[in-house]
Structures are given as structure tokens and as C-alpha cells.
Amino acid sequence: SQTIHQWPATLVQPVGSPLSLECTVEGTSNPNLYWYRQAAGRGLQLLFYSVGIGQISSEVPQNLSASRPQDRQFILSSKKLLLSDSGFYLCAWRVGRGIRWAFFGQGTRLTVV
Amino acid sequence: SQQGEEDPQALSIQEGENATMNCSYKTSINNLQWYRQNSGRGLVHLILIRSNEREKHSGRLRVTLDTSKKSSSLLITASRAADTASYFCATDAEHDMRFGAGTRLTVKP
């Protein structure tokens, strides 16, 4: 069966520090991968998605970047965090073709101080 | 940017009552999906309705889709306290998936 791992669960980082959040999927190949951010009590904002290794689509110009170095690994990064980067970050995957729904990781609560 | 917009933003009902949430969207879709999120957790898929379907049922869930009005509704019948959560609609294009702001449902025992 397929599983998705996202870590860490919580993170407190100072302003100006770098960020690396990792997401890995097991049990499937060539998934579509997604990074979302959710502000407190709000909806999900699509940040990045990837349909294959090295293929990244960016939805929102910002302080963040994403990479997909392996088929089932999706990394969200920042060189210098801003206070406004605080939020709940969610990784998700789904199969690449056909009618499909998304499976989400448990999320990372990032607080920039 | 977000695609769907749910209303109401918050809904509070008594156990046993029905809960109806609505979603409007802006562009053409392949299908529309509803998800549930417990506080501080990831989203869990509930039900998917294709663009050529008008209504779909799954247990206590009923979803309708009106592509001419670009709107969908989720009905939860005979609600339970355990249904307390946030509910999101998501529009499905070829690669990306966009979510609305969600409806926060509280079911009082």
C-alpha cells in the first residue's frame, strides 16, 4: 500500500535561517507531488507541484523553492525565512493519470520567530 | 491562487441534524472532490464527483454538482459529533488541484 511521510511535524526557526522540509512517498511510482501552505483557520494555497523528476511548477512567487531529486521525494526549501513564511505546510501525492484523489501527509507546523 | 470558495465559512449544528456546505469555482474542471481535515492534521479524501455526474452518494454523504453554475454541495445526513472538522472542496485540472477556504463544521452532542 502507498504511504506518504512528511517531516518534521513541528519546526521553530529564526528569521533569516534556511529551511528544508522533506516529503517521501512509498508504494507508487511517478506520482504527482504537491506542496500546500495553510494559514491558521484558512484554506490551502498551492505552492508547487511536480509531475516528474526535476519538473517543478511554481504557483506563487515567493521566498520558497521546491525540488524533486528523486521520483518519490519532494523537498521544500528556503534560503532565508521570513516571518510571513509561518504556517502549516502540507505535502500531497496522487497518481499521474486518470481519475484520482490526493493523499496528504500529516503536515509540518512552521513557526518563524 | 485558490479556486473553490466554500460557504458558509462556519456551521454549527446539533447531533442528528443535516449539514449542507456549498462550493463555487471559477474554471472548467475534470472533477470536483471533497476533503475533510481534523484540526492540525492532513486532509482526507471523502468523495469525488466527475464533471459529467450530477449527484453522488457515499454512506451519509451526498454530493451534487452543477457545472452550469460552477457549484457543488456536500450534504452530511444525521450528523455526529465525530463529524466535527473542516471540509474543503477541490477542483481538479490535469495536473494541479486547488482548494477552497473550507467550511468549519461543529456538531454539538
Side-chain angles (χ1 to χ4, degrees):
Chain A
S1 63
Q2 303 92 350
T3 56
I4 179 169
H5 303 281
Q6 184 182 345
W7 68 92
T10 59
L11 191 59
V12 180
Q13 291 283 102
V15 169
S17 64
L19 173 73
S20 180
L21 301 180
E22 188 165 342
C23 173
T24 60
V25 180
E26 296 178 357
T28 187
S29 59
N30 199 30
N32 286 2
L33 296 171
Y34 304 85
W35 278 111
Y36 293 89
R37 178 169 60 199
Q38 185 177 31
R42 306 292 298 276
L44 277 69
Q45 179 186 34
L46 178 61
L47 301 176
F48 301 95
Y49 68 91
S50 171
V51 299
I53 296 175
Q55 301 179 57
I56 307 295
S57 295
S58 174
E59 290 296 308
V60 182
Q62 58 205 331
N63 188 41
L64 302 171
S65 62
S67 62
R68 184 171 177 175
Q70 300 181 43
D71 182 44
R72 289 169 286 183
Q73 183 185 29
F74 205 24
I75 299 172
L76 182 69
S77 304
S78 174
K79 292 182 180 179
K80 288 185 178 181
L81 284 169
L82 306 172
L83 287 174
S84 57
D85 291 324
S86 294
F88 191 50
Y89 288 82
L90 288 158
C91 180
W93 77 272
R94 62 177 184 170
V95 296
R97 289 187 173 189
I99 303 293
R100 70 271 200 217
W101 47 83
F103 298 89
F104 282 80
Q106 289 304 300
T108 296
R109 175 78 57 193
L110 172 66
T111 304
V112 183
V113 296
Chain B
S1 61
Q2 292 177 327
Q3 167 74 303
E5 291 293 334
E6 290 91 340
D7 78 270
Q9 293 185 343
L11 180 62
S12 182
I13 59 175
Q14 293 295 134
E15 211 166 24
E17 294 181 340
N18 295 341
T20 300
M21 291 161 269
N22 304 295
C23 168
S24 60
Y25 57 93
K26 299 175 182 176
T27 63
S28 297
I29 59 172
N30 295 330
N31 61 71
L32 187 139
Q33 305 175 24
W34 285 90
Y35 289 77
R36 167 192 168 126
Q37 183 184 34
N38 289 340
S39 181
R41 305 298 295 273
L43 280 70
V44 175
H45 175 262
L46 293 176
I47 192 167
L48 178 154
I49 186 166
R50 303 183 189 198
S51 58
N52 62 353
E53 296 177 314
R54 293 295 168 260
E55 187 171 310
K56 197 162 184 179
H57 297 254
S58 176
R60 294 186 295 114
L61 304 179
R62 182 172 78 97
V63 171
T64 62
L65 179 64
D66 187 333
T67 53
S68 66
K69 296 181 179 178
K70 289 186 167 60
S71 67
S72 173
S73 68
L74 171 68
L75 168 68
I76 304 175
T77 60
S79 64
R80 305 166 182 168
D83 294 329
T84 294
S86 292
Y87 293 82
F88 295 88
C89 67
T91 53
D92 185 5
E94 183 175 357
H95 295 303
D96 63 8
M97 288 188 64
R98 299 176 187 273
F99 290 78
T103 293
R104 174 69 189 170
L105 173 66
T106 302
V107 181
K108 300 176 184 177

